[in-house]
Amino acid sequence: MTTHRIVRSDRRLHVMYLVLGLLLAAPTVAAQPRSDEAERLRAYHARADSLVDFYAHQVDPSDLTQGGYFEIAANLYRRTNLDWCVARLDSLMQHPGGDMFWMYPTVLATYLGRDVLPEPTRRRMRDLWRTYRPYRGDTENHWAMYYTSLYLITQLYPDDPAETWFNGRSSQENHEEARDYLLSWIDLTTATGQGEFDSPVYIAFYLVAMSNLYGFADDPAMRLRAHMMLDYLLADFAVESLDGVYVGAFSRIYPDPLFDRWNNNSTSFAWLLFGNTPFLPRGESAALAMSGYEPPAVLAAIATDRSEPYVHRELKRTRHRIRYSDVKNVRVYKTTYMRSEYAVGSIQGGLLQPIQQHTWEVFWRPQSPTDSHTMVFTMHPYSSSDELAMYFPEEPENLTEAVSRSKSTYDLPDKWTGGSPYEQVVQHEDALIALYDLEPGTRFPFISGFFPKALAARDEDESGWIFARGGDAFIAYYPLAPYTWTEEEDVWRLHSTALKNGAVVQVAPISAYASFEAFKAAVRALPLETSTEPVPSVRFTALNGHRLVATYGETPTIDGEPVDYDDWPLFDGPFMHAEAGSHALDLHDGPLQRRLDFDALTITDWVDESESAPRSPARR
């Protein structure tokens, strides 16, 4: 049984934070032997210390106009520049703002400073929770930050009356509400998946919420839940990362982070925890570095072992629907096929997350860690107040304008993120079919294909296939309808105005073929039947011999068997498994096993050398 404890280190390694070039990670390799476990943890703590030092060293003690709560927290943790911390806090407290994004760094600084800061400063920080009213927000990540912060700050002042809090509730009332929400969220997530799932941007806010909770919760059971949720959320990211970069389908991502995939909050955590990507400082990962959390060996293996291809499946859910749906949370079926050279990932299509959904992609391993535009995908740029009103409570006629003020690309025809009710996707390993049946009169009646100029080759073939090479991946794309090309700054946009539309996609490693021409010949020889009337339909035999049949509006089949969405697991693949509704997750790295059981509230580690034990790809 694993021993659980808080580790707050005051050691000063004086590790100078390293410049970007010196922090480039080693190439993806098989998981390290467990004899190297001590070295793995030593390297992790060195990265953690250097990240804290990075934020502590950002401070010019003579400049009281620069620096925020993370710089303050790092110096409080190190017990350095304390006069600056006091003065800078005094300045920041004059104009609090940011709602739940203010709450979690304030809680971090409060706890790290409770034995360091002078009493007048601590009193002023406490009084802000009376005078400043933070907005709770309306998304899952907002509530994670809000309620963990409320839980922790009321824990610190357990007997304060209602009039001392911004919402007119006593410490006890606020603490119980926060606890109830956190327990219900953990229960829902470990049974049916997250609603705001797999976001390279927003994962940081779940992780910082759980790291604060792990670092400072007094209740051993709540601290253990936070530990387990850190393992859980990080495993969810690790298994769908390639060299530390989140790949596949996402609930939410902004356009720039979509293209510059390395430049995401998630990558900062990959550098900190696994050391397999360039240094990318984020305050939220620094908070994790100061929490005492240590990534287990099995988690590091999941993140770094790409020695053999694998298929990974996940079950997620939509955020709560409040209009235009008979189901509160629609199930989301995720598939990711991972190789060391590339990944293919998808969800089934539809309006599964408003505004920023990314439904499918082929992502190839960049030749340089910070290469951008290393992906191919298609989408229908759907925009409608009906989509927004399904998830947001405001008046429907005002929603498109309101959303566009903060998500400026939402109502643009050339946008690259968003879901569509007219899209349907099926994937089997590295073959994928995307179908579109656009309703006449829909806004933006066309589909767009993303073909970056970063492709090493892009050839249109007489057979109808478009062949491309990205990194070490050969890509074949068969459009179901006529199209034209539009040149943009970094992209060739495939533009097709046919309402009944779609594509067949086949990917392969370049190492499997003697040449690009050999790959083309192999794809041309594949059985393929397509039609667009009365609805788009495809019958395709992939390079691996599996037969995919997809007709818009019907359940697809693979090798003659309907895809079994009813029995889709919460997680399933060579590294991890969980059944829907189980509240438990099993992690595997060869004989090393780790089980997170949220009903029993236990973390159990054991070694299983039997032949029937689940194996990571390298040990099959």
Side-chain angles (χ1 to χ4, degrees):
M1 185 72 64
T2 302
T3 300
H4 308 286
R5 60 193 177 94
I6 297 294
V7 180
R8 290 199 186 94
S9 172
D10 292 324
R11 68 192 185 284
R12 301 184 184 183
L13 297 180
H14 300 295
V15 179
M16 292 299 292
Y17 61 87
L18 303 178
V19 296
L20 179 64
L22 293 179
L23 285 165
L24 294 180
T28 299
V29 295
Q32 295 297 306
R34 275 177 286 283
S35 60
D36 292 342
E37 176 65 2
E39 172 59 25
R40 182 189 70 83
L41 288 175
R42 185 209 64 77
Y44 164 70
H45 285 295
R47 290 192 301 273
D49 280 315
S50 69
L51 182 58
V52 176
D53 283 342
F54 174 88
Y55 279 93
H57 293 163
Q58 296 297 300
V59 169
D60 177 356
S62 66
D63 186 352
L64 301 183
T65 66
Q66 300 296 321
Y69 282 101
F70 289 119
E71 287 79 11
I72 293 168
N75 278 282
L76 293 173
Y77 183 82
R78 289 280 184 246
R79 288 172 164 74
T80 54
N81 297 310
L82 297 182
D83 289 342
W84 174 87
C85 290
V86 171
R88 186 63 185 139
L89 279 168
D90 183 70
S91 178
L92 290 173
M93 285 189 287
Q94 294 179 30
H95 304 286
D99 301 306
M100 73 296 298
F101 293 97
W102 168 86
M103 295 173 76
Y104 71 85
T106 298
V107 163
L108 179 65
T110 298
Y111 270 88
L112 291 175
R114 58 182 166 174
D115 298 324
V116 179
L117 292 170
E119 184 183 0
T121 300
R122 287 185 279 118
R123 282 202 307 267
R124 283 198 62 196
M125 293 176 72
R126 165 63 184 93
D127 197 49
L128 285 177
W129 295 90
R130 177 184 65 85
T131 60
Y132 174 61
R133 184 181 183 89
Y135 171 52
R136 186 178 64 168
D138 58 9
T139 64
E140 192 176 351
N141 81 86
H142 288 168
W143 287 26
M145 292 181 283
Y146 179 92
Y147 281 115
T148 53
S149 299
L150 197 61
Y151 179 92
L152 290 170
I153 200 66
T154 53
Q155 171 187 273
L156 200 57
Y157 302 99
D159 300 319
D160 286 7
E163 59 267 23
T164 66
W165 295 101
F166 64 91
N167 57 10
R169 296 175 183 172
S170 68
S171 290
Q172 182 179 349
E173 290 172 312
N174 277 317
H175 194 74
E176 290 176 355
E177 179 186 352
R179 181 181 183 278
D180 288 347
Y181 174 77
L182 292 170
L183 294 183
S184 68
W185 173 72
I186 292 171
D187 183 77
L188 180 63
T189 297
T190 58
T192 61
Q194 281 188 273
E196 194 175 51
F197 56 88
D198 298 338
S199 171
V201 178
Y202 289 98
I203 186 177
F205 306 119
Y206 295 103
L207 293 177
V208 76
M210 292 300 102
S211 68
N212 276 355
L213 196 62
Y214 174 68
F216 305 119
D218 289 338
D219 176 19
M222 185 60 82
R223 187 167 67 249
L224 178 54
R225 288 186 178 94
H227 187 172
M228 294 168 70
M229 284 306 296
L230 285 169
D231 282 358
Y232 197 97
L233 295 168
L234 287 166
D236 193 359
F237 160 52
V239 75
E240 293 180 307
S241 65
L242 182 58
D243 286 358
V245 172
Y246 226 145
V247 298
F250 308 129
S251 64
R252 297 188 67 185
I253 191 167
Y254 291 86
D256 287 344
L258 175 65
F259 307 140
D260 295 330
R261 191 64 60 81
W262 61 272
N263 192 15
N264 270 286
N265 292 338
S266 56
T267 314
S268 182
F269 288 94
W271 172 83
L272 169 63
L273 296 162
F274 314 124
N276 63 338
T277 190
F279 179 58
L280 186 69
R282 293 288 191 270
E284 290 75 22
S285 57
L288 182 61
M290 292 183 279
S291 72
Y293 176 78
E294 291 182 340
V298 66
L299 196 60
I302 293 172
T304 58
D305 188 352
R306 300 297 177 262
S307 56
E308 295 291 336
Y310 62 87
V311 174
H312 177 76
R313 294 187 298 161
E314 296 181 358
L315 181 66
K316 306 297 185 185
R317 59 180 172 83
T318 62
R319 64 185 290 174
H320 299 326
R321 291 181 168 183
I322 59 176
R323 297 185 182 99
Y324 311 146
S325 177
D326 295 330
V327 181
K328 181 179 180 180
N329 301 111
V330 171
R331 288 158 60 102
V332 178
Y333 309 101
K334 274 199 80 179
T335 301
T336 302
Y337 178 72
M338 183 73 72
R339 296 185 60 97
S340 62
E341 303 94 340
Y342 61 83
V344 183
S346 66
I347 50 182
Q348 76 267 27
L351 295 176
L352 305 176
Q353 178 71 222
I355 308 168
Q356 296 169 306
Q357 178 176 316
H358 182 55
T359 302
W360 73 268
E361 72 175 11
V362 176
F363 183 94
W364 57 90
R365 183 182 182 183
Q367 302 302 292
S368 170
T370 56
D371 284 352
S372 63
H373 298 79
T374 54
M375 69 211 73
V376 165
F377 63 91
T378 59
M379 64 166 298
H380 168 226
Y382 182 73
S383 172
S384 169
S385 60
D386 288 349
E387 172 191 11
L388 302 176
M390 185 182 294
Y391 295 106
F392 298 107
E394 291 81 1
E395 291 296 326
E397 60 268 21
N398 300 326
L399 274 169
T400 299
E401 180 184 357
V403 165
S404 297
R405 286 198 292 268
S406 61
K407 307 295 186 294
S408 59
T409 64
Y410 175 70
D411 196 38
L412 298 180
D414 59 350
K415 66 180 181 177
W416 286 117
T417 60
S420 169
Y422 309 121
E423 181 178 50
Q424 183 174 325
V425 177
V426 62
Q427 176 188 345
H428 185 68
E429 296 184 1
D430 48 9
L432 180 145
I433 298 170
L435 302 177
Y436 302 85
D437 192 4
L438 309 186
E439 183 177 315
T442 189
R443 187 165 174 77
F444 310 141
F446 52 84
I447 68 166
S448 291
F450 185 92
F451 286 78
K453 293 180 179 178
L455 286 165
R458 179 177 60 87
D459 299 336
E460 295 176 271
D461 193 78
E462 292 180 354
S463 63
W465 285 97
I466 300 170
F467 294 106
R469 174 179 171 177
D472 292 327
F474 286 141
I475 304 165
Y477 178 98
Y478 190 91
L480 268 60
Y483 62 90
T484 58
W485 293 105
T486 301
E487 184 176 5
E488 300 177 5
E489 182 178 0
D490 297 303
V491 177
W492 286 99
R493 182 188 294 267
L494 183 148
H495 182 79
S496 182
T497 58
L499 298 183
K500 298 180 183 296
N501 219 317
V504 182
V505 182
Q506 174 71 71
V507 192
I510 64 171
S511 60
Y513 294 89
S515 66
F516 196 16
E517 294 305 319
F519 169 73
K520 293 178 183 179
V523 171
R524 290 191 202 101
L526 296 174
L528 173 64
E529 301 175 26
T530 70
S531 64
T532 55
E533 295 295 341
V535 293
S537 182
V538 170
R539 303 175 67 88
F540 176 58
T541 300
L543 286 170
N544 57 18
H546 293 286
R547 293 175 289 110
L548 283 69
V549 178
T551 299
Y552 189 90
E554 300 180 10
T555 300
T557 67
I558 298 173
D559 295 330
E561 295 294 326
V563 175
D564 190 359
Y565 293 117
D566 291 337
D567 197 35
W568 203 273
L570 196 64
F571 292 100
D572 190 58
F575 286 116
M576 49 201 296
H577 181 80
E579 292 295 331
S582 66
H583 302 119
L585 175 63
D586 292 310
L587 306 176
H588 323 296
D589 171 32
L592 181 62
Q593 313 290 313
R594 186 177 183 89
R595 181 174 178 82
L596 308 174
D597 188 330
F598 288 86
D599 286 336
L601 201 57
T602 57
I603 302 175
T604 307
D605 295 314
W606 74 98
V607 176
D608 187 349
E609 297 287 0
S610 67
E611 288 298 319
S612 61
R615 299 299 191 214
S616 69
R619 293 166 172 78
R620 283 181 166 182

